[in-house]
């Protein structure tokens, strides 16, 4: 994990310090020290050094300490981790839109007000108009705003061009 993180800079590592403090991992105290020392005799020193370096690096990453979350209540810990992981995953599937859009907020709010907030009856949102007026950008903003509410979703761009080519 850490090799990928170092190479690409995009790999997300979310450490969970389960019944251990990051400083114990960093300084190889307690169980971590015992485990590394046990392998010291059996494995190549380079492998053990890689493990030590990786554990030290992970100990400095922001993560969760199980004993510090709601007095060690595991269900709360799991909920927080799931919430964070889902947030990371959803971010990966957002469509690319310019950061500084002009004039889309009012249109987005207008469409959002027309949609059933419980999504009971809304199945398809169609946006039509002349070319070049921002329909695709508006659709992408809406998709990013609404997609997390659905288990399955898709964004069909350039439908006219794609359907004419037989896709």
């Amino acid at each position: 994990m850490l090799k990928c993180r170092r190479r690409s800079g995009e790999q997300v590592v979310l450490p969970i310090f389960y019944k251990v403090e990051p400083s114990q991992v960093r300084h190889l105290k307690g169980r971590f020290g015992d485990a590394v020392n046990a392998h010291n005799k059996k494995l190549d020193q380079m492998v053990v050094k890689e493990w030590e370096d990786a554990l030290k690096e992970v100990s400095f990453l922001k993560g969760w300490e199980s004993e510090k979350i709601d007095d060690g209540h595991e269900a709360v810990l799991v909920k927080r981790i799931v919430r964070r992981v889902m947030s990371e995953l959803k971010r990966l599937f957002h469509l690319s839109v310019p950061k500084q859009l002009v004039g889309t907020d009012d249109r987005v709010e207008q469409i959002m007000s027309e949609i059933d907030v419980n999504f009971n009856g809304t199945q398809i949102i169609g946006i039509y108009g002349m070319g070049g007026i921002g329909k695709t950008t508006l659709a992408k903003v809406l998709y990013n705003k609404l997609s997390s509410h659905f288990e399955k979703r898709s964004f069909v761009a350039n439908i006219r061009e794609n359907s004419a080519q037989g896709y």
Side-chain angles (χ1 to χ4, degrees):
M1 293 183 299
L2 294 174
K3 284 180 185 176
C4 288
R5 183 175 189 265
R6 284 184 212 118
R7 251 185 269 131
S8 72
E10 295 179 19
Q11 179 77 30
V12 177
V13 178
L14 303 171
I16 302 165
F17 301 101
Y18 187 73
K19 298 190 182 195
V20 67
E21 294 176 12
S23 65
Q24 291 174 298
V25 175
R26 184 175 309 123
H27 301 295
L28 299 175
K29 302 286 183 195
R31 294 180 297 179
F32 283 91
D34 296 342
V36 170
N37 287 332
H39 290 290
N40 240 340
K41 299 167 187 132
K42 300 174 192 170
L43 295 173
D44 179 29
Q45 291 297 314
M46 292 297 290
V47 172
V48 174
K49 178 73 172 127
E50 276 188 47
W51 289 358
E52 290 174 352
D53 292 346
L55 289 169
K56 188 172 185 174
E57 185 177 341
V58 166
S59 74
F60 284 108
L61 296 176
K62 188 172 187 220
W64 295 272
E65 292 181 54
S66 65
E67 298 303 304
K68 289 187 177 180
I69 295 179
D70 203 26
D71 294 325
H73 195 272
E74 292 177 3
V76 175
L77 173 65
V78 170
K79 282 183 182 178
R80 287 187 186 177
I81 293 167
V82 168
R83 190 177 316 127
R84 175 68 191 279
V85 169
M86 293 304 292
S87 171
E88 289 292 327
L89 290 173
K90 286 176 187 171
R91 184 181 58 79
L92 293 175
F93 293 101
H94 272 199
L95 300 174
S96 176
V97 291
K99 288 187 188 231
Q100 297 186 353
L101 296 173
V102 178
T104 57
D105 291 342
D106 291 340
R107 290 181 178 157
V108 168
E109 292 310 315
Q110 179 186 2
I111 293 171
M112 292 296 290
S113 70
E114 299 289 329
I115 297 171
D116 179 4
V117 290
N118 296 320
F119 304 104
N120 289 328
T122 306
Q123 295 177 356
I124 296 174
I125 298 173
I127 301 172
Y128 63 93
M130 296 179 356
I133 62 171
K135 296 180 301 296
T136 301
T137 302
L138 178 62
K140 287 179 178 180
V141 170
L142 286 166
Y143 178 88
N144 288 344
K145 195 170 190 96
L146 297 169
S147 64
S148 63
H149 296 282
F150 299 94
E151 187 176 320
K152 294 181 174 55
R153 56 217 172 242
S154 68
F155 184 87
V156 182
N158 302 322
I159 195 163
R160 181 182 310 132
E161 292 85 354
N162 289 336
S163 63
Q165 294 176 4
Y167 289 108

